[in-house]
Amino acid sequence: MKIFDAHLHIIDKRFPIYKNQGFTPDSYTARDYVVDAKGLSITNGAIVSGSFQKFDQTYLKESLKQLGSGFVGVTQLPHTTSDEEILDLNEAGVRGLRFNVNRGGSEDLSKLEAFSNRVYDLVGWHTELYINSAKLADIYDVLTTLPAVSIDHLGLSKSGSDDLLKLVSHGVKVKATGFGRLDFDAGDMIKDIYQINSDALMFGTDLPSTRAPRPFKDSDIDIVKKSLMDDQAIHKVLYQNAMDWYFRGKGEEHAL
């Protein structure tokens, strides 16, 4: 069964790395990812900029070249970024704008509405949020008005999960990623989200799982399969939903 890895990080120390909250990540290159992903049937993926990369785009452009046309980028940008720079990143394969509420390193949430609408109108990018669901109530009304939004790691905590599920009913996507970061059972949340909106969930490995109490294991894929127990549902969560989200159904595969 094919997998679209909707959330992975590349940490290439040939490019700028910034200490974040006292943490500096270990190196994790595109080559390291290919080795770890071997045997997982991954054909596509989304490289996500971390707090420790701030607004650097050089690592992302190089990583996209290395991993091939089946991979896209989700990046962090200041709201002052020019249209020309955004168009250039879009040409390089970037497809999303990230706000890292949990760790920082990205633009301030005060720019969420205006900047999200701007990049969507210009290049069709979605906005991705790394946020604890307990904080969703603070921006709930804004999120329901944005054209395209995804939330990382199943919202991280049980607190605020009701808001997360309501956002799913409004069309917000959720990444089934980072199971070792959660304070609740991933399988139960996967069932709840899929029941509300079968198009919402997108699986990702979260490799290399920086700062996660428990890093990704191949058995996390089994959690998804056992939670859904239906071949069509499994295909949607492991592959098709992310393909439709990042490529609008017209992407390329690039098997590792």
Side-chain angles (χ1 to χ4, degrees):
M1 186 169 286
K2 296 183 293 187
I3 292 177
F4 191 126
D5 185 356
H7 196 100
L8 65 108
H9 299 282
I10 299 299
I11 305 162
D12 190 331
K13 293 196 171 180
R14 294 177 300 167
F15 304 99
I17 296 289
Y18 306 88
K19 183 178 288 189
N20 174 264
Q21 299 175 352
F23 172 81
T24 303
D26 293 332
S27 175
Y28 189 76
T29 65
R31 181 174 295 180
D32 293 327
Y33 174 74
V34 170
V35 171
D36 286 347
K38 187 176 182 180
L40 296 182
S41 300
I42 292 172
T43 62
N44 299 77
I47 306 167
V48 178
S49 288
S51 57
F52 41 79
Q53 283 151 331
K54 293 189 178 180
F55 299 135
D56 175 58
Q57 308 302 322
T58 54
Y59 97 91
L60 185 54
K61 287 183 175 181
E62 179 61 24
S63 299
L64 289 169
K65 288 179 183 178
Q66 291 178 359
L67 289 178
S69 59
F71 285 72
V72 298
V74 179
T75 197
Q76 297 162 165
L77 292 171
H79 78 281
T80 53
T81 304
S82 69
D83 286 358
E84 290 74 20
E85 290 174 280
I86 294 170
L87 289 165
D88 177 68
L89 288 169
N90 187 69
E91 184 66 23
V94 175
R95 294 294 180 266
L97 172 68
R98 194 181 203 215
F99 284 79
N100 192 327
V101 183
N102 214 45
R103 296 288 187 186
S106 65
E107 182 56 271
D108 187 80
L109 268 183
S110 64
K111 304 298 190 296
L112 173 64
E113 184 173 13
F115 201 12
S116 296
N117 280 307
R118 180 181 161 216
V119 297
Y120 184 83
D121 290 342
L122 181 64
V123 285
W125 289 1
H126 70 278
T127 292
E128 177 175 305
L129 291 161
Y130 181 21
I131 186 171
N132 190 302
S133 58
K135 297 181 179 179
L136 287 174
D138 297 336
I139 56 172
Y140 183 89
D141 290 341
V142 172
L143 293 180
T144 60
T145 67
L146 295 182
V149 178
S150 69
I151 294 174
D152 292 342
H153 307 322
L154 295 170
L156 291 172
S157 73
K158 185 66 175 176
S159 177
S161 59
D162 287 346
D163 287 324
L164 179 67
L165 293 174
K166 285 191 292 184
L167 286 168
V168 169
S169 71
H170 280 283
V172 169
K173 311 298 184 183
V174 179
K175 290 188 176 182
T177 56
F179 297 167
R181 303 179 188 274
L182 311 179
D183 67 3
F184 56 87
D185 181 79
D188 289 341
M189 182 61 77
I190 288 169
K191 292 176 187 176
D192 289 344
I193 293 173
Y194 192 84
Q195 184 174 15
I196 293 169
N197 183 353
S198 63
D199 298 328
L201 279 168
M202 302 178 290
F203 172 78
T205 63
D206 189 36
L207 284 168
S209 305
T210 55
R211 287 188 272 197
R214 192 270 287 169
F216 168 77
K217 298 187 293 187
D218 292 0
S219 58
D220 287 347
I221 299 171
D222 295 326
I223 292 175
V224 175
K225 292 179 178 179
K226 290 175 182 177
S227 300
L228 299 171
M229 298 294 291
D230 175 85
D231 285 348
Q232 181 180 0
I234 292 167
H235 175 69
K236 284 173 70 69
V237 174
L238 291 184
Y239 177 79
Q240 194 62 54
N241 286 348
M243 179 62 78
D244 292 342
W245 184 241
Y246 287 104
F247 286 109
R248 302 295 188 264
K250 298 178 181 179
E252 299 181 54
E253 290 185 353
H254 186 89
L256 296 177

